[in-house]
Amino acid sequence: MQVDVRIQELLTPKRICVFFIAVAVYCLLFVIFYNTLVYGKFELYDSFKDTLVGMLSNFVPMLVIATCNVLILFSYPISGIRDKIYLKILVDVLLSFSASLILA
């Protein structure tokens, strides 16, 4: 099994929009579940402005981490491990966790 995907092939406007929407939906679900578990309320904010600030303060870090994971998965050279998919998976997992720890 060969993995030969280039990041340039993935950067279409449609895929970028889907990526942003997926991160936004994840962020929304994260905030809803967090508020429900910690505070027992679905929504904590008093105004739309507070809601927007709260969502953006979570969205930006989540977007950065998700973008780093996509770049890790698809952009680093894999020519030496192309035929060793298990090694690629191990390298991807280690790099993704390391990047998440550094960015968090």
Side-chain angles (χ1 to χ4, degrees), residues 8-50:
Q8 294 84 7
E9 297 169 8
L10 298 175
L11 291 177
T12 63
K14 181 180 177 181
R15 286 185 176 165
I16 292 172
C17 288
V18 169
F19 178 73
F20 274 99
I21 291 169
V23 173
V25 168
Y26 175 78
C27 180
L28 178 66
L29 291 173
F30 177 83
V31 169
I32 289 170
F33 286 126
Y34 180 81
N35 290 345
T36 303
L37 287 172
V38 174
Y39 302 109
K41 297 179 185 177
F42 177 74
E43 183 61 53
L44 284 180
Y45 305 107
D46 295 329
S47 68
F48 179 74
K49 180 182 176 186
D50 292 340

Side-chain angles (χ1 to χ4, degrees), residues 28-89:
L28 178 66
L29 291 173
F30 177 83
V31 169
I32 289 170
F33 286 126
Y34 180 81
N35 290 345
T36 303
L37 287 172
V38 174
Y39 302 109
K41 297 179 185 177
F42 177 74
E43 183 61 53
L44 284 180
Y45 305 107
D46 295 329
S47 68
F48 179 74
K49 180 182 176 186
D50 292 340
T51 303
L52 190 61
V53 169
M55 289 294 294
L56 284 176
S57 65
N58 286 309
F59 177 75
V60 172
M62 289 181 188
L63 180 64
V64 169
I65 290 171
T67 303
C68 285
N69 282 325
V70 168
L71 292 174
I72 287 169
L73 290 173
F74 295 111
S75 69
Y76 69 90
I78 57 172
S79 59
I81 60 173
R82 183 171 295 174
D83 296 326
K84 300 172 185 152
I85 193 66
Y86 296 110
L87 182 58
K88 179 178 178 358
I89 291 170

